[in-house]
Structures are given as structure tokens and as C-alpha cells.
Amino acid sequence: MSKVHNFSAGPAILPASAIQAGVEALQNFAGTGLSILEVSHRSPEYVAVMEEARSLVKELLNLNDDYEVLYLQGGASTQFLMTAYNLLEKKAAYVDTGTWSSKSIKEAKLFGEVDVIASSKDKNYSYIPKDLNVPQDADYLHITSNNTIYGTQYKDFPDVNIPLVCDMSSDIFSKSIDANKFDLIYAGAQKNLGPAGATLVIVKKEVLGKVSRSIPSMMDYNVHISKDSMFNTPPAFSVFVVMHTLRWIKDMGMTTIEARNKAKAEMLYTEIEFNDNFKPTTATEDRSHMNVTFLLNDESRNDAFLEACKEAKISGIKGHRSVGGFRASMYNAMGLDSVQALVNVMQTF
Ligand SMILES: *Cc1c(COP(=O)(O)O)cnc(C)c1O
């Protein structure tokens, strides 16, 4: 079978080495003779996996011991409410840059006042609002670093002097960032890190424990921290594959990963710009390097283009219904050859 080029938005492409390690661990995990699906998460072999998966995050993001790393369940969608549960005492500021930020705003409103200080809804979320006016009395500012559905991405993060919370589900570890700028980062694993099931949470300890409400144990970051991310059974297999993805990122190096992602994005955006059949949907300066959204000028040819992609073994290219057209998700594990395959189809179409 020839290679399928996987442009899926999530669950999405993973490094071959991480998949292979997962396959092997399904049969014989760490020499135990047992599948990783059937061993205790309290076994020394598994505790070592959780510890490495946590410490690699700190190492790759240059985080000091003020930060804790957790792998929780419930997806990024549970973090929409958990962040507010733990941090929102009176008022929080949010930037609305798409479907996922809107959902986080909806959940936060259950816990206090939400000040939506900027939104790009006026232009169907095709840009990132700049020059934010951040209220100094807000408990935190929440942003979404990459808008998976609309194809926009922050190139510079806002400088604020209140805690900064960020949903990085679809671009974490895709480029070097100053992670110390953030007080809380969360990301569902299934976009750029591993299989669905685990959600990465990075939190600066000093922002916790300040709200007056009581928090149920499973919703309380401090409870999970006190149990080294093993308060209850973690999503064991998912974390195992995440650990191998992080090892792969470390071997590649963040600089290489970033340069490769940039080269892929330039290759595809150049084709969209110069090919008369296609047009972009997003503001040039805010274009995502992870999820590239584009349209055919003649939308009656959409199905024909999807068919041409299918023939070239290109998968997952259909756009989200809120934007239409096409979306090419090009997460870390995708090589330039897959982007070239898509560009070839666009050129001959
Ligand atoms: C996919 C996605 C989510 C939702 O993640 P779940 O793990 O399915 O809850 C949230 N935010 C962003 C930016 C996403 O891309």
C-alpha cells in the first residue's frame, strides 16, 4: 500500500516511531510480558512513563520548578471549565478567536463575570485581534494560540501583567515559545502530541488556591499535583504514546521542527496565493502554520478537487463546515513530501 498523506485536523498524524512504540507496548510493555493495556498504573514501569512524559515537557519548554505538568482526562473541553473553576474568582478576560474560544467563554460564564475584550467574529474569525485592552482587575486573560477550525494563529503573544491562560491544543511544540510567559497552558493530546484521551496541563503553582469556592477533587489542579498526576487512573496508553512523541521532538530538536513547519506552511500558502483556482480565507499575518484553510474560487468544483485529492492518497482535506472549502492540517509529524503531494494536485487540477 502506498503512503496515505494524512491532513486530518485531529485525531491526527503522529511520528512513526511513536506509533511503533505503541504497537510494541500493546504486546509487551517494558519487558513485563504484559500489554500496556493490562498493567497497573502504579507499577514501577508505568510510573516511569508518567514521570518521563511530565519531565520532557518541562525540559522542552525550559520550565522551572514553579510549574507542574499534568496529564488529565476529559479533553481540552474539560479544561474550558476547569481553568475557570480554579482561577476565576470574580472576573476573567477572554479573547474570542473562534469556535474553541467561544466554547471556553461559555463555560467560564458559569463561574463568574466574563469580559470578552476582543473578538474576530465580525470577519468570520479570519484574523487575530491585536492591541488588547486588558482589564487590570481581571483574574486572568484566556487566549487560544491556534484556531484549528479557522486557520489563524498568534505569531506574538500579548504581554500582560495578569495571569495568562492559553489553549494550545493545536500548536503546542510546533515552534519555540517563551512558555514562562504563561501561567496555565492546556492541550488535548490528539492534535500534535498523541492519541485522544490525555490532556496536557502545565500550570504555575502560584496561581492556584486563590479562589474561595470549594472545588471537587477531580476538578482541582492541586489535588492532581499532590498525587503526581495519578490521583485516579490516568489515560495510560495515551500518555505512553505522548512520551514517545516528546522523545521524537527532543531528537529532532525544536529548531528543526519549527523550521520544517515553516517550510511546509510557506510551500502551501505560496501555492494558494499564486494558483488562480484557489484563495486563502485568513489574514496574511495571522495565518496558521498548523491548519491551512483555503477555498476554490469556483466552489462548484469542490467535490472534484476532493476526488483528485483522494486519487493522490491525500486524506482529511475537507474544510470544517463553518469555513467551507478545504483545510490542510500539517502537524509536526508531517513531512514536506505530503505537502508537495497536495501542491502537485493543486497545480494539475
Ligand atoms: C480540538 C480542540 C479543542 C477540543 O478538544 P477536545 O480534546 O476534543 O475537548 C479545544 N481547543 C482547540 C484549540 C482544539 O483544536
Side-chain angles (χ1 to χ4, degrees):
M1 200 178 85
S2 68
K3 177 175 173 175
V4 175
H5 302 286
N6 183 5
F7 287 89
S8 170
I13 186 168
L14 290 172
S17 62
I19 304 248
Q20 186 54 36
V23 168
E24 285 162 19
L26 283 175
Q27 290 194 315
N28 181 0
F29 166 58
T32 57
L34 298 170
S35 169
I36 187 160
L37 303 182
E38 51 187 10
V39 297
S40 166
H41 57 290
R42 307 283 176 202
S43 65
E45 291 85 356
Y46 192 78
V47 171
V49 169
M50 179 58 93
E51 282 317 300
E52 184 177 341
R54 294 173 79 206
S55 65
L56 277 171
V57 169
K58 285 176 95 168
E59 184 183 335
L60 290 166
L61 294 176
N62 295 312
L63 293 168
N64 63 27
D65 288 336
D66 295 343
Y67 289 87
E68 287 284 352
V69 177
L70 302 169
Y71 290 95
L72 306 179
Q73 307 207 38
S77 299
T78 300
Q79 293 311 307
F80 296 161
L81 68 102
M82 214 164 146
T83 43
Y85 222 140
N86 283 264
L87 304 179
L88 206 177
E89 177 71 8
K90 197 162 171 288
K91 180 170 97 173
Y94 278 70
V95 180
D96 176 23
T97 50
T99 310
W100 300 117
S101 354
S102 307
K103 290 191 173 179
S104 67
I105 289 165
K106 178 172 180 242
E107 299 304 299
K109 282 181 176 163
L110 298 169
F111 298 93
E113 186 189 333
V114 173
D115 188 354
V116 180
I117 59 166
S119 169
S120 48
K121 195 174 181 183
D122 57 339
K123 292 187 180 161
N124 200 30
Y125 297 118
S126 59
Y127 69 101
I128 299 284
K130 320 269 175 354
D131 301 321
L132 303 177
N133 193 354
V134 182
Q136 292 310 297
D137 60 342
D139 297 321
Y140 60 88
L141 171 68
H142 180 286
I143 60 173
T144 311
S145 57
N146 182 69
N147 299 286
T148 327
I149 292 177
Y150 293 90
T152 60
Q153 182 177 31
Y154 281 81
K155 297 294 152 69
D156 297 297
F157 292 114
D159 282 310
V160 290
N161 42 23
I162 60 174
L164 186 56
V165 176
C166 188
D167 175 0
M168 290 195 192
S169 292
S170 51
D171 70 348
I172 191 154
F173 298 118
S174 69
K175 58 179 180 179
S176 314
I177 57 163
D178 179 7
N180 291 284
K181 259 186 116 151
F182 297 89
D183 296 83
L184 198 151
I185 294 170
Y186 61 90
Q190 72 275 16
K191 306 282 163 61
N192 213 6
L193 274 180
T199 310
L200 171 64
V201 175
I202 301 160
V203 59
K204 200 171 190 177
K205 280 174 284 187
E206 67 181 34
V207 297
L208 299 175
K210 293 186 177 165
V211 291
S212 53
R213 72 176 62 86
S214 39
I215 305 174
S217 307
M218 274 298 282
M219 293 289 113
D220 189 340
Y221 293 121
N222 269 330
V223 168
H224 292 282
I225 290 170
S226 72
K227 300 292 179 191
D228 295 328
S229 201
M230 296 257 219
F231 170 65
N232 71 324
T233 318
F237 181 68
S238 181
V239 173
F240 175 83
V241 178
V242 169
M243 177 194 81
H244 279 278
T245 303
L246 294 171
R247 280 188 186 174
W248 174 83
I249 293 171
K250 186 177 165 182
D251 288 347
M252 291 271 287
M254 272 321 297
T255 319
T256 307
I257 298 250
E258 178 169 354
R260 196 165 88 135
N261 287 334
K262 202 166 165 225
K264 289 184 291 182
E266 270 167 17
M267 190 191 272
L268 184 51
Y269 282 118
T270 303
E271 184 60 27
I272 295 167
E273 284 291 335
F274 291 101
N275 186 323
D276 290 340
N277 287 323
F278 297 94
K279 62 180 176 202
T281 72
T282 47
T284 311
E285 73 274 16
D286 302 324
R287 288 173 178 172
S288 170
H289 286 181
M290 293 280 97
N291 313 93
V292 179
T293 50
F294 57 103
L295 305 171
L296 265 170
N297 283 315
D298 177 1
E299 299 210 347
S300 72
R301 296 177 77 205
N302 277 7
D303 288 345
F305 183 67
L306 287 175
E307 195 50 43
C309 286
K310 200 171 157 195
E311 268 167 36
K313 296 211 177 269
I314 288 168
S315 159
I317 208 86
K318 194 174 176 0
H320 190 273
R321 61 189 176 281
S322 18
V323 185
F326 312 97
R327 171 174 53 170
S329 299
M330 312 191 297
Y331 298 115
N332 287 345
M334 175 170 283
L336 267 89
D337 61 317
S338 291
V339 185
Q340 187 62 58
L342 174 58
V343 166
N344 290 346
V345 175
M346 292 169 78
Q347 286 176 347
T348 52
F349 185 62

XYZ file of all heavy atoms in Angstrom, residues 9 33 73 84 97 123 132 155 161 168 171 198 226 235 261 287 293-294 298 310 320 331-332 342:
190
model
N -7.440 16.977 10.898
C -7.324 18.034 11.918
C -7.194 17.458 13.327
O -6.744 18.143 14.237
C -8.521 18.961 11.830
N 6.160 -8.560 29.683
C 5.432 -9.695 29.115
C 3.934 -9.450 29.094
O 3.149 -10.328 28.727
N -7.817 13.648 32.021
C -8.777 13.152 31.041
C -9.833 14.233 30.767
O -9.862 15.262 31.419
C -9.446 11.872 31.571
C -8.413 10.836 32.000
C -8.905 9.409 31.924
O -9.636 9.038 31.020
N -8.479 8.589 32.866
N -11.561 27.899 34.681
C -12.398 28.879 35.375
C -12.701 28.433 36.811
O -12.669 29.241 37.743
C -13.698 29.095 34.600
N -11.495 34.059 19.392
C -10.912 33.924 18.049
C -11.468 32.703 17.313
O -10.858 32.247 16.347
C -9.373 33.817 18.123
O -9.034 32.809 19.089
C -8.740 35.139 18.507
N -15.464 39.182 11.213
C -14.977 38.754 9.881
C -14.795 37.242 9.844
O -13.774 36.738 9.357
C -13.668 39.469 9.546
C -13.856 40.965 9.321
C -12.591 41.618 8.822
C -12.816 43.114 8.597
N -11.549 43.838 8.557
N -4.688 44.599 22.561
C -5.710 44.268 23.542
C -5.725 45.269 24.681
O -4.671 45.740 25.116
C -5.438 42.866 24.114
C -5.365 41.731 23.101
C -5.006 40.432 23.814
C -6.689 41.596 22.363
N 1.157 35.001 16.279
C 2.588 34.972 15.974
C 3.366 35.592 17.144
O 4.511 35.253 17.389
C 2.877 35.692 14.658
C 2.209 35.010 13.444
C 2.792 33.622 13.168
C 1.817 32.651 12.504
N 1.469 32.965 11.149
N 0.133 41.779 32.531
C 0.608 41.607 33.906
C -0.445 41.012 34.828
O -0.431 41.198 36.035
C 1.215 42.903 34.466
C 0.383 44.102 34.090
O -0.810 43.953 33.800
N 0.976 45.274 34.091
N -3.532 25.632 23.919
C -2.547 25.382 22.852
C -2.768 24.026 22.197
O -1.822 23.411 21.691
C -1.119 25.452 23.408
C -0.656 26.830 23.794
S 1.139 26.878 24.019
C 1.312 28.483 24.793
N -1.258 23.736 18.527
C 0.088 24.117 18.075
C 1.173 23.971 19.138
O 2.299 24.438 18.937
C 0.113 25.521 17.450
C -0.100 26.649 18.454
O -0.492 26.375 19.607
O 0.132 27.819 18.066
N -5.626 11.774 26.564
C -4.858 12.559 27.532
C -4.962 14.042 27.190
O -5.051 14.416 26.026
C -3.393 12.146 27.515
N -0.796 17.071 43.804
C -0.351 16.399 45.034
C -0.186 14.897 44.826
O 0.504 14.229 45.585
C -1.330 16.675 46.176
O -2.530 15.953 45.956
N -4.982 8.242 31.643
C -5.158 7.631 30.315
C -3.824 7.005 29.901
O -3.033 7.592 29.150
C -5.561 8.812 29.433
C -5.042 10.020 30.135
C -4.974 9.712 31.597
N 8.059 23.144 9.971
C 6.666 23.598 9.928
C 6.528 24.867 9.101
O 5.563 25.054 8.366
C 6.127 23.815 11.346
C 5.875 22.499 12.076
O 5.628 21.474 11.439
N 5.936 22.524 13.406
N -1.823 33.893 9.583
C -2.037 32.546 9.060
C -1.401 31.466 9.924
O -0.241 31.569 10.307
C -1.418 32.433 7.675
C -2.190 33.169 6.655
C -1.406 33.143 5.374
N -2.184 33.813 4.356
C -1.725 34.097 3.156
N -0.484 33.786 2.840
N -2.500 34.692 2.296
N -6.348 26.932 5.841
C -7.703 26.915 5.273
C -7.689 27.645 3.923
O -7.051 28.682 3.778
C -8.690 27.602 6.220
O -8.144 28.875 6.600
C -8.927 26.784 7.472
N -8.378 27.098 2.943
C -8.434 27.742 1.622
C -9.686 27.315 0.864
O -10.330 26.316 1.207
C -7.164 27.445 0.809
C -6.854 25.978 0.599
C -7.122 25.369 -0.619
C -6.282 25.218 1.608
C -6.823 24.017 -0.826
C -5.988 23.875 1.413
C -6.256 23.273 0.199
N -14.106 28.665 -7.711
C -15.330 28.064 -8.252
C -15.743 26.906 -7.335
O -15.283 25.776 -7.484
C -15.046 27.559 -9.676
C -16.256 26.857 -10.276
O -17.313 26.786 -9.608
O -16.129 26.360 -11.409
N -8.233 12.474 -3.262
C -8.384 11.078 -2.879
C -7.540 10.178 -3.788
O -6.867 9.253 -3.315
C -9.865 10.695 -2.971
C -10.239 9.473 -2.174
C -11.753 9.297 -2.145
C -12.107 7.847 -1.877
N -13.520 7.574 -2.199
N -13.769 22.468 7.532
C -14.808 22.430 8.558
C -16.035 23.166 8.037
O -15.903 24.146 7.306
C -14.273 23.102 9.824
C -15.149 22.911 11.023
N -16.199 23.748 11.301
C -15.135 21.981 12.002
C -16.785 23.347 12.416
N -16.152 22.274 12.862
N 0.481 18.957 11.070
C 1.120 18.899 12.387
C 2.577 18.420 12.272
O 3.023 18.015 11.194
C 0.292 18.005 13.319
C -1.105 18.549 13.547
C -2.242 17.859 13.114
C -1.286 19.784 14.186
C -3.514 18.374 13.322
C -2.566 20.299 14.395
C -3.674 19.597 13.967
O -4.927 20.109 14.163
N 3.263 18.450 13.418
C 4.707 18.179 13.447
C 5.159 16.960 12.648
O 6.191 16.995 11.981
C 5.172 17.955 14.901
C 5.195 19.252 15.689
O 5.142 20.338 15.111
N 5.259 19.146 17.009
N 0.137 17.443 -2.083
C -1.067 18.286 -2.170
C -0.867 19.403 -3.193
O -1.748 19.676 -4.023
C -1.396 18.866 -0.779
C -2.540 19.877 -0.720
C -3.846 19.277 -1.251
C -2.743 20.374 0.719
